[in-house]
Amino acid sequence: MKTMTVRDIRRRWSEAERALAVEKEIIITRDGAPVARLTRIVPEKKPRKRFDPAEQQRWRESVFGKGTVLNWVEEFCEKDRAERF
């Protein structure tokens, strides 16, 4: 288990990150006494959820109602197209 001072953590954060890649935790000390524990977090590997147009349509209908057209989106697109051409 590695120990680092508060000052070391502030000044050499990149070193602390590299140490966490190897060590499970780092004990942070101030005036020689331990004050905190810095632990590594390993994020779960989740597959990226892909866009599903049918699911989006169901959500939109549940929020805005079935058959509702979002006029502000259409107005924005029409205005943007008119400005470009």
Side-chain angles (χ1 to χ4, degrees):
M1 184 178 329
K2 184 169 178 67
T3 61
M4 295 180 81
T5 65
V6 173
R7 175 181 260 174
D8 290 339
I9 295 290
R10 286 184 185 152
R11 292 186 178 189
R12 299 189 305 231
W13 174 250
S14 59
E15 182 181 318
E17 279 186 304
R18 283 192 301 274
L20 277 175
V22 177
E23 302 283 335
K24 188 173 182 178
E25 66 183 20
I26 297 174
I27 300 296
I28 302 171
T29 62
R30 175 179 285 138
D31 297 327
V35 293
R37 180 182 302 145
L38 184 62
T39 61
R40 174 180 44 184
I41 296 177
V42 179
E44 294 179 22
K45 300 247 179 175
K46 294 182 182 178
R48 182 177 171 207
K49 185 176 179 183
R50 305 308 255 167
F51 178 74
D52 181 11
E55 183 181 334
Q56 175 70 14
Q57 179 69 24
R58 284 191 297 274
W59 171 83
R60 197 172 64 76
E61 288 176 355
S62 73
V63 173
F64 298 105
K66 188 170 179 113
T68 304
V69 177
L70 298 178
N71 291 331
W72 63 273
V73 173
E74 293 298 322
E75 291 169 5
F76 174 80
C77 290
E78 288 174 6
K79 181 181 175 189
D80 185 53
R81 288 184 196 114
E83 290 175 356
R84 284 190 280 160
F85 299 109

